[in-house]
Amino acid sequence: MDSPSPLADHCVLVTGGAKRLGAAIGRRLHAAGANVVVHYYRSRDSADALVAELESARANSACAVRSDLHDVAHLPQVVAAACERFGRLDILVNNASSFYPTPLGTITAAQFDDLVGTNLRAPLFLSQAAAPALRASRGLILNMVDIHGRRPLKDHSVYCAAKAGLVMLTKALARELGPEVRVNGIAPGPVLWPERDLVASLKDEIIAKTALKRPGAPLDIARAAYYFAADAPYVTGEIITVDGGRSL
Ligand SMILES: NC(=O)c1ccc[n+]([C@@H]2O[C@H](COP(=O)([O-])OP(=O)(O)OC[C@H]3O[C@@H](n4cnc5c(N)ncnc54)[C@H](OP(=O)(O)O)[C@@H]3O)[C@@H](O)[C@H]2O)c1
């Protein structure tokens, strides 16, 4: 029978892990035995609440670390904090992201820096900082990409280009970090609507174009994360699409 705790003693760092999909991934991997480092930037209360929840399930199994991922010079300290707290690092989940429209004609350099900074630059520099620890643990980098990293979303060229870059980074680092480290990605479709308002008619339109005719749930993404973390030792450089058939 499979172990109920295949990730026992493993250390997982989830960026943007306080809420939404990042929190769902952290909870799922924690339930599989992992210790979880919840990275956050603005969501201190949510990060503290998640750490308390995880700690009440299992003592000394979670902590939070704060960082603005645009501060590239600080990123090695985020990785070091995780390694120091649990003595190792096994999984880096590059989940944090900014997402908003940038119609051509309105795009600013600040928007470009923000969208590329969170969705591509930070994953690269976090991966670079984490590589020695991940090599030592024969670990995993898991990048949260998007179906729109392969197929454009109207008025979101900068976000889409950043996610497309993250798709290629996933494959490039899989070659470079093998054989010790696996590097994979998850491409969600409509799972959790953005926190900013989205008109109901647009949601309906997206669901109508989705084969399974419903949005996904955070657990659908967490299950894919569990697969890569615990059940995919011969899979690297791969992106799993979890979109209910939206991109068919
Ligand atoms: N939701 C979906 O249906 C969907 C669909 C396709 C792809 N995805 C991808 O899946 C991942 C998770 O999605 P989500 O909707 O759960 O993400 P989200 O809520 O939009 O963002 C996750 C976190 O990113 C963090 N973040 C943003 N800018 C940051 C910065 N400068 N420094 C540090 N952290 C920063 C924020 O942390 P704080 O709150 O702590 O500031 C935020 O809570 C993302 O990579 C997203 O692109 C999601």
Side-chain angles (χ1 to χ4, degrees):
M1 200 181 98
D2 288 345
S3 161
S5 304
L7 303 181
D9 297 326
H10 285 42
C11 171
V12 180
L13 168 60
V14 186
T15 68
K19 301 191 299 191
R20 293 169 53 85
L21 299 189
I25 293 169
R27 284 191 180 97
R28 182 66 191 91
L29 301 187
H30 184 269
N35 298 317
V36 176
V37 180
V38 179
H39 160 271
Y40 70 98
Y41 178 31
R42 294 188 183 89
S43 300
R44 176 185 293 270
D45 290 349
S46 300
D48 288 346
L50 179 58
V51 168
E53 175 192 323
L54 300 179
E55 289 267 299
S56 74
R58 205 171 61 243
N60 300 317
S61 65
C63 68
V65 55
R66 180 173 190 273
S67 176
D68 177 358
L69 294 185
H70 292 314
D71 186 355
V72 171
H74 189 248
L75 298 184
Q77 291 175 48
V78 175
V79 171
C83 293
E84 276 162 28
R85 176 64 182 82
F86 292 111
R88 55 192 281 176
L89 181 65
D90 300 85
I91 302 176
L92 166 64
V93 184
N94 284 310
N95 169 79
S97 165
S98 41
F99 171 70
Y100 45 82
T102 52
L104 199 66
T106 72
I107 302 169
T108 65
Q111 289 174 329
F112 182 92
D113 288 348
D114 178 41
L115 289 162
V116 174
T118 58
N119 289 293
L120 181 57
R121 185 175 52 195
L124 167 63
F125 284 99
L126 283 167
S127 299
Q128 180 166 271
L134 292 173
R135 280 199 159 108
S137 64
R138 305 190 80 81
L140 166 71
I141 296 171
L142 187 54
N143 292 324
M144 293 299 293
V145 297
D146 192 310
I147 54 171
H148 296 300
R150 299 200 259 216
R151 182 182 131 161
L153 177 64
K154 189 169 177 287
D155 292 337
H156 289 73
S157 59
V158 182
Y159 171 83
C160 291
K163 288 296 196 190
L166 189 56
V167 169
M168 179 49 71
L169 188 70
T170 303
K171 295 170 188 283
L173 292 188
R175 289 197 79 156
E176 199 165 339
L177 290 175
E180 296 93 349
V181 182
R182 291 176 300 123
V183 187
N184 290 297
I186 300 173
V191 176
L192 269 186
W193 305 114
E195 285 192 322
R196 69 188 151 80
D197 280 346
L198 207 64
V199 284
S201 59
L202 181 56
K203 294 182 186 176
D204 293 344
E205 193 185 319
I206 291 170
I207 296 308
K209 290 180 183 162
T210 299
L212 296 183
K213 302 296 178 208
R214 58 179 172 83
L219 189 57
D220 294 312
I221 302 302
R223 283 179 168 141
Y226 174 87
Y227 165 72
F228 281 128
D231 219 9
Y234 197 53
V235 180
T236 194
E238 190 57 68
I239 311 276
I240 287 190
T241 297
V242 183
D243 73 344
R246 171 72 182 90
S247 47
L248 292 174

